[in-house]
Amino acid sequence: MLCNSPPSSGAFALAPRAGVVLETAFSFACAGWVDDAADLPLRYALYYAVVADASAASAGGDADDDAVSSAEAVEYLLSPASLSPRYDDALLPRGGGNASAVRGVAYVLDQLGGEARATDVVVVAPASFGAGAASVTAAGADAVASL
């Protein structure tokens, strides 16, 4: 009897690292995921979650890293499972907590039911209607860097 192993060795990233609610287009990208030849092709499902506080936002990586904090945030479907490893031009809601954090979540699925989970966090600041709009984005980028 053989057990199916989930996809592994891949990366997931969001870009840019900070932006403004419903103005900045974010890209969700998976790369480098591998699995046994019999388990291919891989499919990618992409979600986002508004993170309530900085301690939950700081958890990133795979499911073991943020299993507790992910239970605190609802994951909203952005792109259902498909062969495309990326999704561009996502307009995200305002991030939660003082850090304005939004967590991107990628589920990488193989044909036999194996599943891997990866996360990344960005800052999505509220819109500003003054001269300080650029400073809001810069402050948000500093908040992500400190996580």
Side-chain angles (χ1 to χ4, degrees):
M1 176 183 263
L2 296 175
C3 290
N4 181 36
S5 296
S8 63
S9 303
F12 171 62
L14 300 176
R17 302 305 304 156
V20 177
V21 63
L22 299 177
E23 290 179 13
T24 305
F26 289 88
S27 294
F28 288 54
C30 297
W33 291 90
V34 296
D35 207 345
D36 296 328
D39 299 352
L40 300 176
L42 298 177
R43 293 173 296 130
Y44 305 86
L46 304 171
Y47 293 76
Y48 70 89
V50 175
V51 181
D53 62 33
S55 64
S58 65
D62 61 25
D64 296 333
D65 291 338
D66 63 349
V68 175
S69 62
S70 67
E72 299 170 5
V74 175
E75 293 179 357
Y76 297 97
L77 180 63
L78 185 63
S79 174
S82 73
L83 298 176
S84 176
R86 66 180 299 123
Y87 185 90
D88 294 316
D89 300 325
L91 296 177
L92 299 174
R94 179 175 184 245
N98 291 333
S100 296
V102 173
R103 177 185 294 121
V105 181
Y107 290 93
V108 184
L109 313 156
D110 69 23
Q111 294 301 309
L112 300 178
E115 175 183 297
R117 182 177 186 269
T119 65
D120 194 15
V121 177
V122 294
V123 169
V124 184
S128 177
F129 299 103
S135 66
V136 169
T137 303
D142 291 342
V144 165
S146 69
L147 297 177

